[in-house]
Amino acid sequence: MPAPARELVITNGTVVTMNAERAVIEHGAIAVAGGRIVEVGPAGEVEAKYPDAERIDAGGGIILPGLINAHTHAAMVLFRGLADDLDLMDWLEGHIFPAEAEHVDEDFVRVGTRLACLEMLRGGTTTMVDLYYYEDAVAEEVDRCGMRGVLGQTVIGFPAPDFATVEEAMAATRRFAARWRAHPRVVPAIAPHALYTLTGEQMTAVHALAEELGMPMLTHMAEDRSEIERVLARSGKRSIAVFDELGALDDRVLGAHVVAAQPDEIALLAARGVGVVHCPQSNMKVGAGTAPVPAMIAAGVAVGVGTDGAGSNNDLDLWEEIDTAAKLHKLASGDPKVLDARQALAMATIEGARAIDLEGEIGSLEAGKRADLVVVKVDGAHQQPQRPMPNPYSLLVYATKASDVVTVVVEGRVVVRNGEVLTLDAGAVLAAAAEKRKPLESLASPPR
């Protein structure tokens, strides 16, 4: 891990702050000290106040908050392409659960997490919300590579790769929380998989532990029609109502997907302060449906955006997700004004931070917040012509690619410079991933 700069100024760029006013500062700069932003303003003024600071020249590009991948399963990058073009339950129960039972161990998770962090950092994702097994190992890898993470130890109602029972997983969560709760970049969480893989009593117990430990609860919620059908058959109620009846629907809960939510359920999510994560590409790929995101936003629900795991997406590119989110809801509604570019970018920045209850720390470029930020170059052929610069939100959401990211700063540390991840040996990461993938090759779906 590189040592944090004493003072750092990122200058000569258009600053897209994502603050409450959504201020955009042309020819702007940001000053960083002690891991936090100390000033945002015109480049000349900021540079004059910090003459001895290390300089990063944004080269006329865009400086924006680090992106927040609010739902993923990082280590599942090793399952990339394993089982494609299947509906959710067939993909999950027929392919992924069996592959995990046979192949996932702590080393698998470490290798996969490193590869995921390499991909995400290179593309400007500074925070990930992860739900998987061996989450203590995930936290160690996140710490080493310099990312920020809300990391959930999975609890599931059958023997998992790391713990055989719900009780063992919950006991491990206590140890996990005790170890990481004071870390500046790791937020320990608990992740009950879903209502269709846990009993109501187990979900209630997990939520009670989250309350006791003061930690987030990350779960899959109203993920698709088949989930609703299973929960209805078991309880006579739909998923969101069951969560509420169990006392497991409140502001510490982050629900992923929420595709099958009706108007009264959206109102309930808003009233309970539940955060939601939209995973448009994963939802589309497994045919789960289109989440009612515009209605949730209108109701006041904090909605972030996530890639899901690369086993179902098949990548961790958040730029693709925000582009897809904006366009998907225009298509679904027939209204091109729905979910505009600024709202889509907000889902990956300040609204994503609000969904995970970190809006006071990250998600916008403001004095006092953690210094998580990204510099994007804007000189690519796919971004031209654009002088004078057009609406920067449009340029970022509809034209920018992960490969346009040149600098990434997390907690005031430069972790990507000139497009190179400084905290990971890319060659070693790729070689280890290729080796770890070999036993899985026979499981991959043949070309259709």
Side-chain angles (χ1 to χ4, degrees):
M1 172 62 64
R6 181 172 57 86
E7 288 180 346
L8 175 67
V9 170
I10 303 93
T11 188
N12 187 27
T14 295
V15 180
V16 176
T17 66
M18 299 310 294
N19 65 8
E21 294 76 30
R22 301 296 191 260
V24 174
I25 306 169
E26 295 186 18
H27 310 297
I30 296 173
V32 173
R36 291 189 180 268
I37 297 169
V38 293
E39 188 157 357
V40 181
E45 293 179 13
V46 174
E47 288 186 33
K49 290 183 181 179
Y50 302 91
D52 299 324
E54 177 190 352
R55 294 282 197 277
I56 292 179
D57 187 342
I62 297 176
I63 308 166
L64 70 151
L67 303 184
I68 299 168
N69 187 346
H71 181 73
T72 193
H73 312 283
M76 290 184 75
V77 288
L78 296 176
F79 291 141
R80 200 189 316 256
L82 180 69
D84 291 329
D85 306 317
L86 301 168
D87 65 40
L88 174 64
M89 292 303 174
D90 185 10
W91 173 82
L92 186 63
E93 297 175 340
H95 298 268
I96 296 303
F97 283 164
E100 287 178 332
E102 183 174 353
H103 295 284
V104 172
D105 57 17
E106 183 176 329
D107 190 57
F108 180 102
V109 170
R110 288 188 183 279
V111 171
T113 299
R114 285 184 206 126
L115 178 59
C117 289
L118 180 69
E119 181 179 356
M120 286 189 280
L121 282 174
R122 179 61 189 83
T125 294
T126 55
T127 298
M128 71 165 170
V129 180
D130 185 68
L131 301 75
Y132 211 54
Y133 308 111
Y134 298 101
E135 206 66 26
D136 203 54
V138 175
E140 289 178 359
E141 298 304 326
V142 166
D143 180 39
R144 289 189 183 108
C145 77
M147 279 190 75
R148 190 179 305 282
V150 178
L151 308 178
Q153 171 61 50
T154 288
V155 181
I156 199 162
F158 51 78
D162 51 0
F163 300 109
T165 67
V166 167
E167 291 73 23
E168 288 178 10
M170 291 173 66
T173 302
R174 287 185 180 276
R175 299 190 296 271
F176 178 58
R179 180 180 179 191
W180 295 99
R181 68 170 67 254
H183 194 281
R185 288 180 288 102
V186 172
V187 177
I190 192 165
H193 179 264
L195 280 174
Y196 58 87
T197 52
L198 289 162
T199 67
E201 292 78 8
Q202 289 168 334
M203 187 66 76
T204 299
V206 171
H207 184 268
L209 182 61
E211 276 193 315
E212 177 191 338
L213 299 178
M215 63 185 350
M217 187 178 102
L218 319 174
T219 192
H220 300 88
M221 181 181 291
E223 193 169 358
D224 77 337
R225 295 176 298 276
S226 59
E227 176 197 323
I228 299 298
E229 290 167 1
R230 291 186 183 197
V231 174
L232 272 170
R234 189 175 76 187
S235 67
K237 296 183 179 179
R238 293 168 57 87
S239 297
I240 293 171
V242 172
F243 271 106
D244 195 48
E245 185 178 71
L246 295 171
L249 199 70
D250 58 24
D251 59 3
R252 74 178 61 258
V253 175
L254 183 68
H257 300 288
V258 196
V259 168
Q262 297 179 334
D264 60 327
E265 295 167 334
I266 293 171
L268 186 58
L269 293 172
R272 298 288 187 265
V274 176
V276 166
V277 190
H278 184 34
C279 303
Q281 290 196 348
S282 176
N283 294 343
M284 292 164 67
K285 186 163 174 281
V286 299
T290 303
V293 169
M296 287 192 275
I297 292 173
V301 177
V303 183
V305 65
T307 58
D308 207 353
S312 63
N313 185 312
N314 292 15
D315 60 42
L316 304 176
D317 186 342
L318 217 56
W319 296 99
E320 288 188 5
E321 297 298 329
I322 58 177
D323 177 62
T324 300
K327 293 172 180 174
L328 171 63
H329 296 286
K330 299 178 194 310
L331 175 66
S333 67
D335 182 356
K337 298 181 292 298
V338 166
L339 199 63
D340 63 25
R342 187 167 72 169
Q343 288 177 306
L345 185 63
M347 289 168 63
T349 55
I350 189 60
E351 287 301 303
R354 190 163 75 93
I356 62 176
D357 292 327
L358 287 178
E359 71 272 26
E361 296 288 326
I362 61 173
S364 61
L365 301 180
E366 302 179 70
K369 285 199 172 185
R370 306 274 185 177
D372 293 7
L373 58 93
V374 170
V375 179
V376 171
K377 64 181 180 179
V378 294
D379 58 358
H382 57 285
Q383 297 165 311
Q384 305 302 319
Q386 49 93 19
R387 295 294 184 199
M389 185 177 288
N391 178 343
Y393 302 107
S394 172
L395 186 63
L396 288 167
V397 172
Y398 299 131
T400 294
K401 313 300 179 186
S403 57
D404 297 320
V405 172
V406 289
T407 302
V408 178
V409 176
V410 183
E411 193 83 1
R413 295 180 173 91
V414 181
V415 294
V416 175
R417 191 188 295 271
N418 297 325
E420 179 185 355
V421 179
L422 304 179
T423 55
L424 290 162
D425 181 334
V429 169
L430 295 173
E435 189 65 26
K436 189 62 68 174
R437 173 70 181 214
K438 285 181 180 178
L440 295 165
E441 291 174 359
S442 64
L443 303 178
S445 300
R448 290 174 183 260

